[in-house]
Amino acid sequence: MAVDYTTHDGVAVITLNNPPVNGLGLTTRAGIVEGLERAQNDPAIVAIVLTGAGKAFSGGADITEFNTPKATQEPTLATVIKAVEGSAKPVVAAIHSVAMGGGLELALGAHYRIAAPGAQIALPEVKLGILPGAGGTQRLPRAIGLEAALNMIVSGAPVLSEKLASSGLFDEVVQGDLAEAALAFARKVGAQAGPHPKVRDRKIEHPNAEGFIQFARNSVAGIAKNFPAPHKCIDAVEAGVKDGFDKGLAFERECFIALVQTPESHALRHAFFGERAASKIPDVPSSTPVRELRKIAVIGAGTMGGGIAMNFVNAGLPVTLLETKQDALDRGIATIRKNYEGTVKKGKLKPEALEQRMALITPTLSYDDLKDADLIIEAVFEELGVKEQVFKRLDEVAKPGAILASNTSTLDLNKIAAFTKRPQDVVGMHFFSPANVMKLLEVVRGKDTAKDVLATVMQVAKKIRKTAVVSGVCDGFIGNRMIEQYIRQALFMLEEGALPAQIDKAIEKFGFAMGPFRMSDLAGNDIGWAIRKRRYQEHPDLHYSKIADRLCETGRFGQKTGGGWYDYKAGDRTAYPSKLVDEMIVGYSQETATPRRKISDAEIVERLVYALSNEGAKILEEGIASKASDIDMVYLTGYGFPLWRGGPMLYADTVGLYNVERAIGRYAAQANGDGWQIAKSIGDLAAQGRGFNS
Ligand code: 3HC
Ligand code: NAI
């Protein structure tokens, strides 16, 4: 039963009971209407309490129903709210824990609202690329005023119930037992003569509504560049202000129906579920016991080790930081302090909190200090010999059951695990730079990694606020393996007629934060060079453009050497197209007898993005990733893929795999076409009319 109905001395209590968050799916909606009718028809009932069981009043409309017939099947949420509002017997919403989206809209339809403190109140629809579609844009401004409401609607951010105590939203914020208080309140209002108040009848008072709405429009301009929803939220509120409740409501509905079908909303919902799905590993049930992690250790206090340590310290966990030499240790600690000082300067951290965090770090040069650690993360030089030394030593000192993790980005985790006598305890934790900032964590599952080790690492990832995605062992794991193909295509296109600035501009226009050449100049072109040198040995059969090697041979490693694909001026990170490099590229085409032609921006985008989707498809085929949304989460959280496009796999689905297959076929027939080996699953799925995610 999605809704419970009980009676208590003249009060009917309708309790949403649809775990986990009392989403307002079809059966729940029907249950509420049924409960209301039962209460109307029972002469012994004087008032109705509407509340939620478990951990929410309601998390809103059931997002999984969107774009399915159930979403529009009666009773719709609008019908339910109309029934609540139209009830002759007063309805009291008793709110606790979470009242979001349609949940809050439902409560706004009630005649009275009481809340427990600590409840998260929000209209978060904008974060899903839609707007509140069941009266939220009309009733919230009438309940708490135009400014506060518009802020909540365009940000989607939750506000605690106690902060809204005097806002006009609640009749009471109750300190004690909410259920008891709700019954008492219901009896009180049940004894009063109707009609009972409706939020829709309140007026929106504002001295300069038009001015404020314009101000709101200006302030969302940035975030609204690629998302239609924020402006629609404002339009709907404005319609209610100008044309009144009913017209505003009709306009809101129209906008909702249009927005829910946009690719942007689809992408945001994909990311919402993708984030949650990533933490689920098909053969590791949620009941898997986890190991307790109280003490963390990090080995190597360089670029990555310092950032990794900060993550745990920020979550209140003590970290022992080990280095080989005192000066390296001192440098590492000083960098961490400097990072925190920067945060203090920005006003985002109190000075005393800085000292508390630093106090959680124990620097050491001795492995003896690691013997109590529950999780030890290695972030030393990327050389198998060095990793071997470290893991052999760890095998000697770490306590039984300690999790031994490596931050390696390119080495074989199974080899690293084999340096120990406990490969079941070894796992990859591949953080991204800067490790204290980037959301992504690739959790690398070795062939022997124990299930409880994986479950534990996924849990601690949540604690340190990372989006963790499991990857099997392969060169580059999910993210870097795919980016290699993207860069390979970018280099081929230089050879065939494009220049770095054109390629960067085209893909940045598509939405990437930075194109491949600006990105390489930032990261250092020597990194890719080292990887390619290894590739030439491992896969002499694979065709790579040598154009980037030429650049590196001239010492142009990027920003750090004052020049790379672009020229840089001292103290200025602006990338200036380089005449020298552009000439070098044209010369290289002549040397390789590759005719230069005009390459369209559309071709650039297709070749770069489909290179990602195609490699992603192979990663799925090989079981390196367990689902397409995991790959999308890697790209959305670690590689600057535009959120509104949902990731390379969802983007390919949106274009249609039939079209992707044909485009790859076309590119495979051109110069450098041997750079394409199409994944078998693309054709297979296209033939079935399916996508990676459907
Ligand atoms: N519909 C369907 N499923 C939902 C849901 C919703 N509105 N909200 C949460 N869930 C699911 C999650 O997918 C997850 O499922 P899983 O266990 O299978 O992975 C489960 O509920 C628990 O979710 P969380 O892991 O996020 O649990 P938390 O306790 O951390 O957070 C929450 C709870 C704050 C409610 C959070 O889930 C959330 O922010 N949910 C989205 C709320 C939202 O956006 N509501 C608006 C919906 S759109 C709407 O109402 C339209 C209306 O205006 C017409
Ligand atoms: P780094 O060179 O900045 O730091 C390595 C640190 O390890 C140095 O401070 C060094 O003194 C220390 N060290 C070396 N041998 C040691 C040993 N035996 N015991 C203890 N400390 C030792 O290197 P960085 O960039 O931090 O990389 C570390 C690891 O993280 C590598 O495996 C790298 O592939 C990986 N990685 C790096 C990323 C990056 O963007 N820099 C991103 C993701 C992973």
Side-chain angles (χ1 to χ4, degrees), residues 2-139:
V3 173
D4 299 329
Y5 181 90
T6 52
T7 55
H8 306 258
D9 284 337
V11 178
V13 178
I14 299 174
T15 308
L16 313 188
N17 191 356
N18 180 22
V21 300
N22 296 324
L24 294 161
L26 179 60
T27 35
T28 312
R29 300 194 305 262
I32 300 171
V33 175
E34 213 176 283
L36 286 168
E37 279 169 2
R38 222 166 132 181
Q40 306 303 325
N41 294 336
D42 182 347
I45 296 297
V46 296
I48 301 156
V49 169
L50 188 57
T51 192
K55 65 175 197 175
F57 171 78
S58 169
D62 183 342
I63 310 166
T64 59
E65 280 188 357
F66 284 9
N67 299 336
T68 73
K70 278 188 179 172
T72 45
Q73 193 174 327
E74 291 288 0
T76 61
L77 191 52
T79 302
V80 176
I81 293 170
K82 213 168 162 190
V84 169
E85 200 169 49
S87 164
K89 297 177 183 175
V91 180
V92 181
I95 295 166
H96 63 89
S97 313
V98 165
M100 289 192 178
L104 178 56
E105 292 174 299
L106 176 65
L108 282 162
H111 306 103
Y112 305 97
R113 280 155 300 282
I114 69 170
Q120 296 187 66
I121 309 297
L123 288 178
E125 285 87 344
V126 72
K127 294 186 183 169
L128 299 172
I130 51 176
L131 85 174
T137 63
Q138 305 307 306
R139 288 192 182 87

Side-chain angles (χ1 to χ4, degrees), residues 308-353:
I308 294 170
M310 287 173 76
N311 286 311
F312 291 95
V313 165
N314 294 347
L317 285 160
V319 177
T320 303
L321 188 56
L322 182 137
E323 263 286 348
T324 43
K325 297 212 176 69
Q326 190 63 45
D327 60 337
L329 193 54
D330 293 345
R331 246 194 335 269
I333 295 284
T335 306
I336 295 176
R337 178 174 281 279
K338 210 168 127 223
N339 269 329
Y340 280 133
E341 280 168 358
T343 320
V344 170
K345 260 194 207 130
K346 283 187 207 142
K348 290 186 181 164
L349 188 72
K350 296 216 168 82
E352 56 274 24

